[in-house]
Amino acid sequence: MSENFTTRELDIRTGSRETVYDLTRECESFLRDAAHGRDGLLNVFTPHATMGVALLETGAGSDEDLLSALHDLLPADDRWQHRHGTPGHGRDHVLPALVPPHATLPVLAGHLALGTWQSICLVDTNISNVNRKVRLSFLG
């Protein structure tokens, strides 16, 4: 692989309840090792059919607001065709259509070029799978 492209896979434990997991620190740590002060792009990807990546403010209630909105849009009930796992699990398989499993972000001088209140978050409504993988890739 080219020295201009670096990737790392993370193991994340999201817990046994719906969650918005702030991944920003892990992304910054990866860039310290991979970017070496260069400009480029960070790609965040999760290879799961029931999880997404979102940019949002955390800690001020937006993370809970997102989960609440997803509950309204994707109720955990028996309407879903996909019917294995916990009741309503089919909705978890629809989540990535609304919250995609990837994000590509600008990196300037080796640092994430996020807005003041933006954080990189995993959105996980699947309470049956708490062990998750995330692939971080830097191209610069």
Side-chain angles (χ1 to χ4, degrees), residues 5-98:
F5 180 81
T6 306
T7 191
R8 177 183 296 164
E9 187 170 83
L10 305 176
D11 292 311
I12 303 291
R13 188 167 177 81
T14 57
S16 58
R17 62 183 207 114
E18 296 176 3
T19 191
V20 174
Y21 179 95
D22 190 340
L23 191 65
T24 310
R25 282 191 180 136
E26 287 95 330
C27 292
E28 290 170 342
S29 175
F30 168 68
L31 288 173
R32 276 192 296 277
D33 295 340
H36 305 291
R38 293 176 293 173
D39 292 353
L41 297 171
L42 172 68
N43 182 263
V44 181
F45 174 74
T46 182
H48 297 282
T50 59
M51 194 157 109
V53 177
L55 293 182
L56 72 151
E57 179 181 5
T58 59
S62 296
D63 36 1
E64 290 301 321
D65 288 342
L66 175 59
L67 292 175
S68 179
L70 289 171
H71 237 259
D72 290 346
L73 289 169
L74 304 171
D77 58 24
D78 63 357
R79 74 183 70 199
W80 307 102
Q81 299 294 316
H82 189 105
R83 294 183 184 262
H84 74 82
T86 56
H89 176 64
R91 77 179 186 122
D92 300 326
H93 287 273
V94 176
L95 173 75
L98 301 175

Side-chain angles (χ1 to χ4, degrees), residues 91-135:
R91 77 179 186 122
D92 300 326
H93 287 273
V94 176
L95 173 75
L98 301 175
V99 183
H102 59 87
T104 301
L105 307 157
V107 175
L108 299 176
H111 299 282
L112 285 166
L114 297 175
T116 302
W117 304 111
Q118 288 181 316
S119 295
I120 304 165
C121 298
L122 301 176
V123 180
D124 192 0
T125 59
N126 182 356
I127 61 173
S128 299
N129 186 1
V130 301
N131 297 310
R132 301 305 209 151
K133 300 249 183 240
V134 177
R135 292 189 188 120

